[in-house]
Amino acid sequence: MKLIDTTTKKDTTITFYEDVRSEYVRLSSIRLDGVRVYSYDFIITKLSKQFYRSPRTIENIIFNRV
């Protein structure tokens, strides 16, 4: 018996983009005494390592350029 996978590549990509964006929002909203804890460059580098993509790709995903 073969299970049918109804998830398309487009659905997977959209989910991936949403995950990247939500992680970016989470990291950028961390504040200590009203000051951001992590810099923009740190967040981009961390996400690129976490999601196995280049920093440029992560930036494009965050700013909806893809």
Side-chain angles (χ1 to χ4, degrees):
M1 183 173 154
K2 183 177 180 183
L3 297 175
I4 299 174
D5 185 16
T6 59
T7 304
T8 63
K9 185 175 180 180
K10 184 176 181 179
D11 293 337
T12 306
T13 302
I14 290 171
T15 303
F16 173 73
Y17 289 172
E18 289 171 353
D19 291 345
V20 171
R21 289 182 188 118
S22 66
E23 186 66 9
Y24 173 78
V25 168
R26 186 186 73 79
L27 290 172
S28 63
S29 66
I30 297 174
R31 299 186 185 276
L32 182 62
D33 295 330
V35 179
R36 288 175 76 180
V37 173
Y38 302 119
S39 70
Y40 172 78
D41 292 332
F42 175 81
I43 294 171
I44 296 299
T45 302
K46 181 171 176 53
L47 293 177
S48 67
K49 289 179 182 177
Q50 180 179 346
F51 291 106
Y52 302 104
R53 298 292 192 277
S54 72
R56 172 128 182 157
T57 302
I58 296 297
E59 286 179 343
N60 288 339
I61 292 169
I62 290 170
F63 297 114
N64 293 314
R65 295 184 209 142
V66 289

